[in-house]
Amino acid sequence: MLWIVLACFGSALIMSLLAPLVLTIGRWQLLHPRTALTAWFGALFTGVALILAGLAISVIGAVSAPDYVGGTESLLLTVVAWLGLGVFGAVATMVSVSSEPIVEARREALKVMAPVARSREARQGFILVRFDSDEAVAFAVPGRRPEIFISSAVEDLLSKAQLGAVLAHEYAHLRHHHGWALRIAAVNAFCLGRLRPGRDLHRATKLLVELAADDAAARQAGAANLANALTLLAESDGDAGMRLRATRLTSKRWPSASRRRLPKALAATVLP
């Protein structure tokens, strides 16, 4: 039974070391961001499942060791079980502590935005919040009542089709629960400190959720509309990352599905 526990822990360790190496090889992640996100989080949750399985087996073995289990193995199982439970408790505490600043930062951001909001319109699946600002800003806020914030500068800067593409991008973040992915990656990075797996997952998640949302919006609103919107936004605030995303969209081949109409929930949000 002890060797099963060690195999679970060893496999989790190997996966945490190899996943960042394997998943950063080549440029396939940029072409298939959703697949890359699935692979990253699949490796993370598989590692967590292996650790929990090893911990459960060690606890069960320590509490009710069969007669054929020797005294030394039984003692080792007990030690591993107690150590594992201690580490599990410490990690649970770190997760709780690290998630609080993330939630609090979101609350503070909403408090800042609420006074300057000039309209709130309920749409199917989210609330569209328009607010006055000289900065071209658009972002999605997940929650029980998801919201998409659009600044007046974005409305003034973009055409109707381009604005629809930006809204489709933000709606994709909500629909695919990218907020949870970012939160899990941030908590994982906090718990692992300066270790490479945590940093790599956090960095990859921040990039891949944007690319995945770009792809979803391009299929719904048109790649050219989103690329043009990103280019204008990049010129407005000097964001080189947006300019690179626009270049990626124009250089990627899109199927005929990219010319589909916007969903009704988004089409209703486009300003006349």
Side-chain angles (χ1 to χ4, degrees):
M1 188 173 291
L2 180 61
W3 68 269
I4 298 178
V5 175
L6 295 177
C8 289
F9 290 159
S11 299
L13 178 62
I14 292 172
M15 181 168 293
S16 68
L17 295 175
L18 290 182
L21 296 176
V22 175
L23 295 175
T24 53
I25 295 175
R27 300 174 59 85
W28 66 274
Q29 309 93 334
L30 303 181
L31 298 176
H32 308 284
R34 288 191 64 184
T35 302
L37 273 173
T38 301
W40 273 105
F41 282 88
L44 172 64
F45 291 130
T46 299
V48 171
L50 286 170
I51 292 174
L52 292 177
L55 179 58
I57 293 172
S58 65
V59 171
I60 294 172
V63 172
S64 57
D67 295 336
Y68 60 81
V69 175
T72 302
E73 184 174 351
S74 179
L75 177 62
L76 290 175
L77 282 172
T78 302
V79 172
V80 171
W82 279 109
L83 287 175
L85 288 173
V87 172
F88 180 79
V91 171
T93 302
M94 291 179 66
V95 169
S96 177
V97 170
S98 62
S99 62
E100 269 305 311
I102 298 173
V103 175
E104 189 60 30
R106 178 189 158 197
R107 290 173 183 165
E108 291 299 323
L110 292 179
K111 287 180 181 178
V112 172
M113 303 306 303
V116 295
R118 56 185 171 87
S119 69
R120 300 174 64 88
E121 301 177 21
R123 302 294 180 184
Q124 184 179 358
F126 66 94
I127 296 174
L128 176 65
V129 181
R130 296 184 175 95
F131 65 97
D132 293 321
S133 175
D134 294 333
E135 297 183 14
V137 180
F139 59 92
V141 179
R144 291 184 179 180
R145 301 182 66 188
E147 297 174 318
I148 295 178
F149 286 77
I150 297 290
S151 72
S152 56
V154 171
E155 297 176 15
D156 296 337
L157 181 66
L158 304 182
S159 68
K160 179 179 177 180
Q162 292 164 358
L163 179 60
V166 170
L167 289 171
H169 171 95
E170 300 303 333
Y171 186 62
H173 283 316
L174 297 175
R175 189 171 70 249
H176 297 296
H177 307 289
H178 290 164
W180 275 108
L182 290 169
R183 183 179 297 185
I184 292 171
V187 170
N188 179 66
F190 179 86
C191 292
L192 294 181
R194 297 184 179 182
L195 296 180
R196 178 177 175 180
R199 298 197 314 270
D200 287 350
L201 175 62
H202 194 200
R203 183 169 57 251
T205 301
K206 288 193 293 184
L207 171 63
L208 293 174
V209 295
E210 294 300 329
L211 299 185
D214 282 347
D215 289 353
R219 293 187 185 96
Q220 292 176 347
N225 290 327
L226 183 57
N228 290 336
L230 289 173
T231 300
L232 290 173
L233 291 171
E235 292 174 354
S236 174
D237 61 10
D239 189 337
M242 282 190 181
R243 191 173 288 108
L244 291 174
R245 284 164 52 197
T247 302
R248 170 182 174 273
L249 287 170
T250 56
S251 62
K252 186 175 179 179
R253 290 188 176 183
W254 297 96
S256 57
S258 64
R259 292 190 291 272
R260 291 184 302 178
R261 281 187 170 184
L262 281 171
K264 290 182 179 180
L266 292 176
T269 67
V270 179
L271 301 177

